[in-house]
Every structure is written in C-alpha cells, then in structure tokens.
Amino acid sequence: MTTSKFQKKSMKSPARLPGDPTAKQIVERIVRVDHAGEYGAVRIYEGQLAVLSKSSKRILIEHMRDQEKIHLKTFSEQISKRKVRPTALLPIWHAAGYALGLTTAFLGDKAAMACTVAVEEAIDEHYASQIKALEPFEDEVTLRETCIKFRQEELEHRDVGLEHGAEKTPGFAFMKGAIKTGSKIAIWLSTRI
Ligand SMILES: [Fe+2]
Ligand SMILES: [Fe+2]
C-alpha cells in the first residue's frame, strides 16, 4: 500500500487542537529551554571547580563541564540558526548555577556529586519527554538525535555522581529532592519566559 499525500502530510506534525502550540512553537521551546539548561549546567560545574580545584574529583568534574560546554555550543548554534529568542532568565541562571555549584562544593566533593545526581535526574526526565515530543516531527530527526545523545551523556554524569559518593552525603535524599525540584522549576520557567 502506498502512502497517500494526506498521510505523508499528517506524519510531519501531530494532530493539533485549538490552543495547542504549533510545531514551530514546540521546537522553539525545546531549543530555548535546552540552551538555558546547558548554560546552567556549565555554570554549576564552574562553581564546583572554583572550590574543588585541588580535589581528586577535579578531572572528573572538568570532563563533565567540557561535555556541558559542547551541549551549550550545540544549542547556542540552534538558537542562532532558528532565530529563537533565548530565555530572558539567562542572567539568573548565570548566578544561580554558579552559586549552586559553589555551595554544594563547599559542603565537600560528595555533596558536589549529590548535586550532579539531582540535576542530571531532572535533566534525564526532561530530555526523555522532549525525545517523545519530537517523535512525530519528521523534519526534526537531527534535533531529536541530539537530545538522545545528550541525554545519554547526562545519565553518564549521574552515574559518575553515584559512583563517587553522592549517596554518602549527609541528608542526601533531602538535598537531592530540593535540587531536583529547583531544576524542574528552572526548566518550567525557561520554557516560558
Ligand atoms: Fe548537558
Ligand atoms: Fe550534564
């Protein structure tokens, strides 16, 4: 059976109800929020490195920071290419990301790792929902593959955190919950503002 013209067109974007965002709006929101998230991630690791420059975990943190820089570069390019307005909250994430990294690192390298676990868990769920949202858009296969690749690297960061003592931080469950909630609020805001 051959695919009709109508079927081909309908596969490009999913059925839309009145008031639903358009495909363009969905993709713009994804690019905006991912750019913001990766920006914040770089700042968190930079904050941690300012404190942990002599720690045995420095190389690990530098490696994660460098991967976040590549993620940020990719979404910065998407912002320019698609002429998407970046979130107006970047100056806040600049300060808040750094402060979060700095504060957790002051509590010790295990607390820094706990911060990574919390943030990456939130980002994993976030990327997973985007990967699902992008599934119907045939024109956005490359963007979806980028999200899949970056999600995998964020999961590696979470595993690094777990392998390097995150769960041994006093009050780990509370800390993880608080940071994860904060990350989700930041994601929600950056999608919209
Ligand atoms: Fe990232
Ligand atoms: Fe990450």
Side-chain angles (χ1 to χ4, degrees), residues 32-34 36-37 40 44 87 89 92-93 96-97 100 119 122-123 126 178-193:
R32 179 179 303 118
V33 68
D34 288 357
I44 291 171
T87 173
L89 301 171
I92 293 178
W93 305 148
L100 178 62
V119 171
I123 300 300
H126 166 70
I179 295 174
K180 211 172 154 180
T181 303
S183 302
K184 286 183 175 181
I185 293 169
I187 288 168
W188 191 89
L189 289 169
S190 301
T191 306
R192 290 158 180 84
I193 299 175

Side-chain angles (χ1 to χ4, degrees), residues 55-160:
S55 159
S56 60
K57 307 286 188 261
R58 181 176 63 90
I59 304 287
L60 272 176
I61 299 171
E62 279 176 346
H63 173 68
M64 296 192 285
R65 189 259 332 257
D66 292 347
Q67 282 185 315
E68 302 298 1
K69 279 187 173 176
I70 295 169
H71 298 177
L72 174 60
K73 185 171 177 282
T74 303
F75 279 105
S76 296
E77 285 164 1
Q78 287 290 317
I79 287 263
S80 326
K81 197 179 103 188
R82 296 171 188 262
K83 298 187 173 52
V84 172
R85 175 185 61 75
T87 173
L89 301 171
L90 277 188
I92 293 178
W93 305 148
H94 184 85
Y98 196 81
L100 178 62
L102 205 68
T103 318
T104 50
F106 267 127
L107 297 173
D109 54 22
K110 290 185 181 65
M113 292 293 156
C115 171
T116 293
V117 171
V119 171
E120 300 297 9
E121 272 190 21
I123 300 300
D124 167 45
E125 291 165 19
H126 166 70
Y127 269 132
S129 74
Q130 289 187 338
I131 291 162
K132 196 159 179 272
L134 286 170
E135 207 166 18
F137 302 123
E138 283 186 341
D139 297 344
E140 297 296 349
V141 172
T142 310
L143 178 62
R144 187 166 180 269
E145 281 169 359
T146 298
C147 292
I148 291 171
K149 180 175 187 285
F150 290 178
R151 182 189 179 204
Q152 194 51 47
E153 290 174 354
E154 312 299 5
L155 286 171
E156 285 166 20
H157 298 171
R158 180 205 60 190
D159 292 345
V160 165

